[in-house]
């Protein structure tokens, strides 16, 4: 496992930007308009709730670097469980890790997912590069489509494996932009698609968090039997408000996260 936080996030970013060309472009646009570095609010990772790749196994890569568990979240319709992790350094990126509750799905999906996870070597899960190592299993296009029909999340995870599903610009740390609506307008002006599920702005000042995101890029992926162009990853934006203690709220809003997941939908 990484002994250095900067190194881990650097590798996560390099892997993410390879499959998310729009993030690189937006980073340049914001960097140019702001004239400063972009601060990452959080990243998100997806997994299955099966050994050896369950949520806790992914979290260990962060807890070994001083992170600790914050809130936990349940998504009934999408059959997911999630937890976020924080670091004592308030400017360190937060980490949002979700896992698919496979036992709540059909026997067919469970069988497919068990077969995928069985191909993951337990040793690889604790390796330095695991969180940006991609797919560890063979997957044909028909199996991907079958998973998608039952769970967009399962299909995405089967196709992409282990990597940051999104990075998030902290609007609080931007100089020129102070609102999610301002960022959304910039995105649209530059030709990016904004996730409009549940509204373009998710959350509210009353919930202490507002978020928006692009729709995932679509790029070619090599399946075992063919290449197909499918949704990859997306870029998110977050604006946090002070809580009762005067500190910026560090958590997440489940109803908003539920809609953010839809940034990787194959339709819409």
């Amino acid at each position: 496992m990484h002994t250095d936080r900067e190194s881990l996030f650097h590798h996560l970013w390099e892997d993410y930007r390879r499959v998310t060309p729009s993030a690189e472009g937006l980073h340049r646009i914001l960097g140019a308009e702001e004239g400063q570095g972009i601060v990452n609010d959080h990243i998100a990772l997806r997994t299955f709730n099966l050994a050896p790749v369950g949520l806790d196994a992914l979290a260990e890569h962060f807890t070994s670097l001083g992170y600790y568990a914050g809130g936990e979240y349940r998504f009934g319709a999408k059959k997911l469980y999630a937890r976020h992790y924080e670091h004592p350094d308030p400017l360190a990126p937060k980490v949002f890790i979700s896992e698919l509750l496979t036992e709540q799905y059909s026997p067919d999906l469970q069988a497919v997912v068990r077969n995928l996870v069985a191909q993951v070597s337990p040793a690889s899960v604790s390796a330095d590069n695991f969180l940006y190592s991609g797919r560890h299993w063979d997957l044909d296009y028909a199996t991907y489509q079958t998973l998608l029909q039952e769970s967009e999340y399962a299909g995405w995870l089967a196709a992409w494996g282990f990597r940051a599903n999104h990075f998030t610009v902290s609007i609080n740390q931007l100089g020129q932009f102070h609102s999610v609506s301002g960022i959304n307008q910039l995105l649209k002006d530059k030709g990016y698609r904004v996730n409009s599920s549940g509204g373009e702005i998710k959350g509210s000042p009353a919930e202490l968090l507002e978020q928006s995101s692009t729709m995932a890029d679509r790029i070619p992926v090599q399946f075992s039997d063919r290449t197909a162009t499918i949704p990859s990853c997306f870029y998110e934006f977050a604006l946090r408000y002070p809580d009762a203690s005067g500190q910026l709220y560090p958590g997440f809003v489940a109803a908003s996260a539920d809609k953010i997941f839809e940034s990787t939908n194959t339709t819409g």
Side-chain angles (χ1 to χ4, degrees):
M1 292 191 186
H2 281 269
T3 55
D4 174 65
R5 192 175 80 224
E6 275 71 28
S7 170
L8 173 56
F9 279 93
H10 169 75
H11 283 94
L12 283 162
W13 169 260
E14 288 300 309
D15 172 71
Y16 162 81
R17 74 182 183 89
R18 276 195 295 273
V19 299
T20 321
S22 68
E24 177 102 0
L26 275 167
H27 219 251
R28 275 198 303 272
I29 291 164
L30 283 169
E33 300 218 6
E34 292 292 324
Q36 63 188 50
I38 306 301
V39 174
N40 177 27
D41 180 87
H42 71 272
I43 64 164
L45 298 158
R46 297 179 174 188
T47 193
F48 298 115
N49 69 336
L50 299 175
V53 300
L55 189 158
D56 288 339
L58 274 63
E60 212 168 300
H61 287 265
F62 299 99
T63 55
S64 67
L65 296 172
Y67 277 80
Y68 56 91
E72 57 179 355
Y73 313 88
R74 289 176 174 79
F75 303 92
K78 291 184 174 64
K79 301 171 185 173
L80 304 171
Y81 170 77
R83 208 180 292 142
H84 90 263
Y85 291 82
E86 302 170 36
H87 192 274
D89 175 356
L91 283 181
K94 285 166 273 294
V95 178
F96 187 91
I97 308 175
S98 56
E99 62 182 4
L100 190 79
L101 303 175
T102 50
E103 70 281 358
Q104 295 184 18
Y105 281 90
S106 72
D108 286 350
L109 181 141
Q110 290 183 53
V112 170
V113 170
R114 276 198 302 269
N115 175 54
L116 299 181
V117 173
Q119 297 172 59
V120 181
S121 134
S124 68
V125 179
S126 56
D128 273 4
N129 71 340
F130 180 67
L131 297 180
Y132 44 91
S133 59
R135 203 163 75 208
H136 287 245
W137 42 70
D138 291 325
L139 181 72
D140 61 58
Y141 186 69
T143 302
Y144 164 70
Q145 288 289 341
T146 300
L147 289 173
L148 267 188
Q149 286 166 21
E150 202 171 336
S151 164
E152 292 269 5
Y153 183 108
W156 186 94
L157 181 52
W160 290 105
F162 301 97
R163 52 175 24 106
N165 165 264
H166 62 267
F167 272 67
T168 309
V169 172
S170 169
I171 298 175
N172 298 84
Q173 307 298 324
L174 293 179
Q176 190 171 332
F177 295 92
H178 306 288
S179 69
V180 179
S181 59
I183 285 287
N184 286 351
Q185 192 57 53
L186 173 73
L187 294 175
K188 290 185 281 192
D189 289 349
K190 299 293 186 181
Y192 293 93
R193 291 176 63 216
V194 175
N195 174 345
S196 59
S197 177
E200 289 184 353
I201 300 175
K202 285 82 165 124
S204 66
E207 293 167 298
L208 306 181
L209 176 64
E210 290 181 310
Q211 296 163 275
S212 73
S213 65
T214 62
M215 291 300 289
D217 286 350
R218 298 177 68 88
I219 69 167
V221 171
Q222 183 64 54
F223 292 92
S224 59
D225 55 341
R226 60 171 284 192
T227 299
T229 297
I230 66 169
S232 59
C233 304
F234 58 95
Y235 215 174
E236 188 183 320
F237 302 84
L239 179 63
R240 297 180 178 276
Y241 291 86
D243 59 20
S245 72
Q247 303 299 308
L248 290 180
Y249 174 64
F252 294 84
V253 178
S256 300
D258 186 72
K259 299 302 182 187
I260 293 283
F261 280 120
E262 295 175 21
S263 298
T264 53
N265 280 9
T266 49
T267 56

